[in-house]
């Protein structure tokens, strides 16, 4: 198993772009982050609710690698934990290249299963102009590279706080590459 650390946890009970950093969050199995507007068994993101409110919520928890904050600050953006809408900020893990179905063991009890890549929308530019392009650059072949973190569902609940260890459990091969959810 690969390992990293939680550097921050965040939540917000309303549908805003950024989330408030807090001391700890409680993950609820099958729901998401307790007290977060995106928790639920069915889709909670407004655009997805408008299309089909009965679809399963594959975006219960948003995880983002803290190294992206570093990269963005080097490019002149002012970003910190929770400001890109993430619930859990990590360090030391390449979240973007984990396979679909990888499980993150967070702290003592919680387990989140990765469902896909976050596909950021234009709201990110309202937070800071130019940010969408910075987190969705193109590779040499012209393909979009999504850097805005991963989404997951809570398999086992528990408390998560900054400093907690994150251990990665990958599913058996063949692995399914992460796609936007």
């Amino acid at each position: 198993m690969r390992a990293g650390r939680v550097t921050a946890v965040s939540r917000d009970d309303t549908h805003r772009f950024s989330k408030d950093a807090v001391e700890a969050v409680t993950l609820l199995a099958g729901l998401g982050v307790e007290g977060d507007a995106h928790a639920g068994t069915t889709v909670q993101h407004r655009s997805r609710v408008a299309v089909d409110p009965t679809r399963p919520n594959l975006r219960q928890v948003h995880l983002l690698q803290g190294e992206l904050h570093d990269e963005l600050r080097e490019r002149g953006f002012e970003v910190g934990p929770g400001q890109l809408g993430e619930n859990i900020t990590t360090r030391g893990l390449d979240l973007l290249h984990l396979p679909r179905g990888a499980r993150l063991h967070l702290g003592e009890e919680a387990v989140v299963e990765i469902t896909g890549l976050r596909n950021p929308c234009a709201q990110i530019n309202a937070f800071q102009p130019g940010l969408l392009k910075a987190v969705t650059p193109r590779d040499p072949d012209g393909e979009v590279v999504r850097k805005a973190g991963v989404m997951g569902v809570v398999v086992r609940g528990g408390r998560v706080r900054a400093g907690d260890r994150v251990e990665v459990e990958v599913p058996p091969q063949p692995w399914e590459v992460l796609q936007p959810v």
Side-chain angles (χ1 to χ4, degrees):
M1 277 198 214
R2 295 169 233 167
R5 290 268 172 218
V6 173
T7 58
V9 293
S10 306
R11 71 167 178 263
D12 196 338
D13 61 358
T14 61
H15 287 274
R16 287 186 282 240
F17 180 74
S18 296
K19 297 183 183 293
D20 296 324
V22 294
E23 181 183 321
V25 294
T26 300
L27 301 185
L28 303 172
L31 292 173
V33 178
E34 183 177 48
D36 192 81
H38 295 105
T41 58
T42 57
V43 292
Q44 299 297 311
H45 287 75
R46 290 178 182 165
S47 62
R48 293 165 193 270
V49 169
V51 173
D52 183 356
T54 66
R55 294 196 51 113
N57 186 4
L58 302 178
R59 299 167 58 104
Q60 294 174 357
V61 181
H62 176 198
L63 300 105
L64 187 127
Q65 60 285 1
E67 291 83 355
L68 178 62
H69 289 156
D70 301 340
E71 177 186 328
L72 293 172
R73 281 193 294 271
E74 287 174 13
R75 296 183 61 189
F77 294 98
E78 293 181 29
V79 292
Q83 290 187 318
L84 297 179
E86 74 272 15
N87 299 110
I88 299 173
T89 310
T90 66
R91 196 164 282 281
L93 294 174
D94 187 357
L95 296 173
L96 304 176
H97 292 96
L98 293 174
R100 187 175 199 276
R103 290 186 171 198
L104 303 177
H105 296 256
L106 302 148
E108 298 293 319
E109 301 171 340
V111 178
V112 171
E113 185 172 302
I114 302 303
T115 56
L117 294 169
R118 178 186 180 201
N119 194 21
C121 67
Q123 275 188 322
I124 201 167
N125 281 335
F127 175 65
Q128 288 184 43
L131 200 50
L132 180 60
K133 189 173 184 178
V135 298
T136 56
R138 294 198 177 265
D139 68 15
D141 296 326
E143 297 294 319
V144 173
V145 177
R146 288 172 177 81
K147 294 182 171 186
V150 297
M151 306 305 288
V153 295
V154 181
V155 175
R156 187 169 65 222
R159 300 270 292 170
V160 180
R161 59 183 44 87
D164 280 351
R165 185 173 170 84
V166 181
E167 293 187 11
V168 178
E169 174 189 357
V170 294
Q173 291 196 26
W175 290 337
E176 193 176 330
V177 176
L178 292 179
Q179 298 297 319
V181 291

